[in-house]
Amino acid sequence: MPSNAARLTNPTLWTLTAGPAPELSGSLPSRCDAVVIGGGFTGLTTALHLARAGRSVTVLEAGQLGAGASGMNAGFVVPNFAKADPATVRQKLPRDTADTLLSLVGTGADEVFRTIVEEQISCDAAQTGWLQPAYGGAMAEILRQRARDWTELGRPVEFLDANAIQSETGMEIYSGGLIDYSGGTIHPLNYLYGLARAVIRRGGTIRENSAVEHVKQHGGTWRVSLAGHEIETDVVILATNAFTDGIAARMGRTGVPLKVYQVATKPIDAETVARIAPNRRPVGDTRSNLFTYRLDRDNRLISGGMAVNPIGAFERIGRAVVDRLTSELRLPRRPGVEIVWTGTAIMTPDFLPRLYRFGDGFFGGIGCNGRGIAMTAQLGRILAKLALGEPVDSLPIPLQSSRPLPFHRLTPVVASLALAHARFEDWRTGRR
């Protein structure tokens, strides 16, 4: 079997350090209970829940497992919203619906780590907690209230003062911060491979390099067509995230794609690890130009960033991210770059997850908004409930029709301008 780095055209730290990919064998059926389009976290989690319920399920992946966002992220397991807090969600939704959604999102990390234990997935899982340091006094007060709101919802969230955050990170620039003890980190590609093996163990079929060409309704069933084959099914689940080719365009064009670069350094020394991550907790602060870092099992630092100008970005971002890590964390020496890779995240206009109905028995889910691992665990579970015919009014995320964003092709330009503005705002906050 070829190495993971050879299998995937975009090598990452995870392809270099993952175990072997799962064996995908068996012929495609002519009929099954459910077809899942997309073999990332959302699609495989949906398929796993369906297989656990005794349904015959087929997963069709246009590329290879891990070639999309599920294999390209940094492995942070964060159970909250990137750009919304409980108060914001309650403003946008009726109180009961909002609290149900908040409960769903808040338990996302627990769902991930529970699945890892239940399916015995070896993926460097570490539920050590997640830190969100506050940049500036005003943001510290916002996080203090956010911690109260999550605590009232029964989540293990606490506000830490500036001294406690300094002890956790070795950084003196923060005014306090939030810790969610249910968060943590994983090796995302090994987690994805583990989900795939769990689906296969329960009789599910997974096929790579199987781009769906058409999905058409025929009487009371659906016909899913791909090169040289057609599958009849009762339910279709679209789990293609930010992709916009072919059938994936129905969902991918409803959000703003963000090209995110991830950088892994060479391993750092144990003394520095003890200073900047004594409890090995992943960090993501509140600056508009987000500063994040975590450690992998070999003490490589992993961080990321975006590029205002994509030309030559790989080399430039690699240097810039390592320079920032060295400066912010006051590293005793500049670590070398192990590898730089990139993937595409997607943001919904309101920063909340979306569930779409494309027809009777044809559903899709999207909208992790930078919280892909924890959110996909819950999206997959909810999509499985839809596929199993559970009442729609019991869902924490209302179903809606998909509508592509106007001028979707221009959204990368808008994202670049927003990044430039974010860096300016962080500079102004720092001066104050």
Side-chain angles (χ1 to χ4, degrees):
M1 177 180 294
S3 69
N4 295 308
R7 290 181 76 251
L8 300 171
T9 57
N10 186 358
T12 71
L13 174 65
W14 314 123
T15 63
L16 300 178
T17 58
E23 294 282 356
L24 306 180
S25 59
S27 59
L28 285 174
S30 58
R31 196 189 193 294
C32 61
D33 295 327
V35 169
V36 177
I37 304 173
F41 293 146
T42 302
L44 290 180
T45 303
T46 304
L48 177 57
H49 284 287
L50 291 173
R52 283 174 171 177
R55 300 299 195 270
S56 57
V57 59
T58 299
V59 180
L60 301 175
E61 166 56 47
Q64 292 176 305
L65 296 182
S70 295
M72 301 295 169
N73 65 84
F76 288 69
V77 187
V78 183
N80 57 37
F81 299 98
K83 294 289 184 179
D85 54 22
T88 304
V89 175
R90 286 167 174 163
Q91 289 173 357
K92 294 181 177 182
L93 299 172
R95 180 61 182 255
D96 289 348
T97 303
D99 284 355
T100 302
L101 176 58
L102 289 168
S103 178
L104 178 85
V105 172
T107 55
D110 287 335
E111 184 71 16
V112 170
F113 291 109
R114 183 183 304 114
T115 299
I116 289 168
V117 171
E118 291 173 348
E119 301 299 336
Q120 299 181 31
I121 299 173
S122 178
C123 60
D124 301 337
Q127 196 170 14
T128 53
W130 171 76
L131 290 167
Q132 186 177 34
Y135 190 65
M139 186 54 69
E141 290 307 310
I142 291 173
L143 291 193
R144 192 185 299 273
Q145 182 58 51
R146 188 176 298 174
R148 291 193 199 102
D149 290 341
W150 282 115
T151 301
E152 289 174 2
L153 287 161
R155 300 309 306 150
V157 178
E158 182 182 357
F159 182 81
L160 303 180
D161 65 21
N163 289 333
I165 290 294
Q166 184 177 344
S167 296
E168 290 280 358
T169 66
M171 300 174 69
E172 301 174 356
I173 64 171
Y174 295 123
S175 302
L178 177 149
I179 181 170
D180 188 317
Y181 292 100
S182 71
T185 57
I186 62 172
H187 187 301
L189 189 57
N190 277 341
Y191 173 57
L192 186 72
Y193 287 170
L195 290 174
R197 289 189 179 93
V199 171
I200 294 167
R201 277 199 305 272
R202 288 169 173 78
T205 299
I206 302 172
R207 178 65 66 86
E208 295 179 311
N209 302 312
S210 299
V212 172
E213 298 172 349
H214 303 288
V215 177
K216 295 182 179 179
Q217 198 163 19
H218 182 78
T221 63
W222 292 91
R223 302 285 176 87
V224 179
S225 302
L226 56 159
H229 195 81
E230 185 176 83
I231 304 173
E232 182 181 13
T233 185
D234 300 318
V235 176
V236 179
I237 300 295
L238 191 62
T240 49
N241 196 42
F243 288 101
T244 56
D245 294 332
I247 191 72
R250 298 190 185 199
M251 199 161 63
R253 292 178 183 171
T254 66
V256 178
L258 299 178
K259 192 168 188 177
V260 182
Y261 295 83
Q262 308 289 354
V263 181
T265 71
K266 299 290 185 181
I268 62 174
D269 64 276
E271 184 178 351
T272 300
V273 168
R275 177 174 61 82
I276 67 172
N279 297 299
R280 304 189 73 85
R281 287 171 172 147
V283 174
D285 73 10
T286 61
R287 278 176 277 190
S288 299
N289 183 25
L290 187 66
F291 178 64
T292 67
Y293 70 92
R294 60 158 291 195
L295 296 163
D296 81 337
R297 66 189 180 210
D298 299 313
N299 287 338
R300 298 179 183 90
L301 276 170
I302 303 169
S303 187
M306 294 173 57
V308 174
N309 175 15
I311 299 174
F314 261 84
E315 185 176 349
R316 190 175 68 253
I317 291 290
R319 289 196 308 267
V321 167
V322 174
D323 286 346
R324 190 179 188 189
L325 284 168
T326 303
S327 173
E328 299 265 14
L329 297 174
R330 295 183 291 110
L331 301 181
R333 62 190 64 84
R334 187 182 188 278
V337 174
E338 183 81 62
I339 190 169
V340 181
W341 69 98
T342 186
T344 302
I346 192 165
M347 310 294 282
T348 55
D350 59 3
F351 303 108
L352 299 181
R354 303 280 183 90
L355 287 175
Y356 293 124
R357 186 205 298 271
F358 304 106
D360 291 337
F362 187 1
F363 307 103
I366 201 169
C368 297
N369 297 294
R371 299 291 189 254
I373 298 172
M375 190 71 79
T376 52
Q378 300 294 50
L379 274 178
R381 189 162 62 89
I382 298 304
L383 286 167
K385 287 186 176 184
L386 281 171
L388 292 168
E390 293 200 9
V392 171
D393 57 9
S394 69
L395 296 173
I397 306 170
L399 276 168
Q400 55 186 289
S401 300
S402 65
R403 295 180 181 178
L405 290 179
F407 310 107
H408 182 266
R409 291 182 179 178
L410 298 179
T411 52
V413 177
V414 175
S416 292
L417 294 174
L419 176 60
H421 177 72
R423 290 175 176 172
F424 173 72
E425 288 299 316
D426 288 338
W427 175 81
R428 286 209 314 169
T429 300
R431 284 179 62 83
R432 289 197 295 268

